Amino acid sequence: QVQLVESGGGLVQAGASLRLSCVPPTKIFDIIPMAWYRQSPGTQREMVASILRGASDTTYSDSVKGRFTISRDNAKKTVYLQMDSLKPEDTAVYYCNSVTSSAGARSWPWGQGTQVTVSS
């Protein structure tokens, strides 16, 4: 079964940066709106950033706006999440997937995610 694979997480101190990467299993990556989500223990998974086909079509949750940058390289079929000025509250498992449709659907099952831990 094809699966999303996220990478780039780790344990860092507050104020540090990380860059997450994800290569979805698709040949039509360039037309799929992509997003990064995160889930910390005891909370629901939330979308933190999304990017449409164009590099300028991005949205961010208020909690990460100004610190995180989502981007995509359609030639490499890769979506990235640059995370700067990390805070302890950013600690979570981060997942990529397509943007959730109005019907609650996404293109792939959830992958394993990548753990991001930010110490104070």
Side-chain angles (χ1 to χ4, degrees):
Q1 181 180 4
V2 293
Q3 190 173 27
L4 290 159
V5 178
E6 300 89 351
S7 63
L11 170 62
V12 297
Q13 290 188 327
S17 298
L18 284 172
R19 188 174 83 153
L20 308 183
S21 300
C22 173
V23 182
T26 177
K27 295 182 180 180
I28 57 170
F29 172 80
D30 57 328
I31 67 171
I32 298 177
M34 293 297 300
W36 282 95
Y37 304 78
R38 70 184 181 187
Q39 186 173 24
S40 52
T43 69
Q44 287 191 331
R45 191 159 8 212
E46 62 167 342
M47 187 176 75
V48 296
S50 68
I51 185 167
L52 303 184
R53 301 181 191 184
S56 60
D57 296 325
T58 58
T59 62
Y60 298 92
S61 66
D62 288 343
S63 60
V64 308
K65 196 174 297 182
R67 300 187 298 118
F68 290 12
T69 304
I70 187 171
S71 62
R72 64 191 300 158
D73 185 330
N74 288 339
K76 295 182 178 180
K77 294 182 171 50
T78 303
V79 60
Y80 303 98
L81 185 68
Q82 177 68 40
M83 305 187 296
D84 299 318
S85 302
L86 282 161
K87 303 176 180 180
E89 50 263 45
D90 295 318
T91 296
V93 179
Y94 285 73
Y95 304 86
C96 77
N97 211 316
S98 61
V99 171
T100 304
S101 73
S102 57
R106 284 167 295 275
S107 295
W108 304 280
W110 294 109
Q112 299 278 357
T114 185
Q115 175 71 48
V116 172
T117 304
V118 185
S119 63
S120 58

